[in-house]
Amino acid sequence: MTLDEFAVFWPRRGDWIGSDKGYDQWMPAHLSPDTGVVELGETAKEGNIAGYLYYQTETAISKGKNKP
């Protein structure tokens, strides 16, 4: 498996405020506990867990490239 095949899902109800540095982007999503599949969207399907899916912003990616 590669890094592109992994994701961070945060089960949460309510709004995400964001980071001070602007490195984080959390998109509304929902997780199927039966399949482990996460879908983007504000409204969770019946039986799914509402939350947020994490993405790094381009700023975070470009800053990371400059680290040793």
Side-chain angles (χ1 to χ4, degrees):
M1 295 187 116
T2 66
L3 187 58
D4 292 339
E5 296 175 284
F6 291 89
V8 175
F9 177 79
W10 182 22
R12 177 178 168 87
R13 294 184 185 121
D15 295 328
W16 170 249
I17 297 171
S19 77
D20 295 338
K21 294 181 180 181
Y23 289 171
D24 303 322
Q25 181 178 1
W26 291 88
M27 303 293 293
H30 48 96
L31 168 72
S32 168
D34 296 327
T35 65
V37 173
V38 176
E39 294 182 44
L40 292 175
E42 301 242 351
T43 306
K45 295 177 182 177
E46 186 175 335
N48 282 8
I49 301 166
Y52 291 87
L53 189 62
Y54 176 78
Y55 295 92
Q56 280 190 322
T57 63
E58 287 299 320
T59 303
I61 294 167
S62 64
K63 291 251 185 211
K65 289 180 182 176
N66 295 330
K67 290 186 177 181

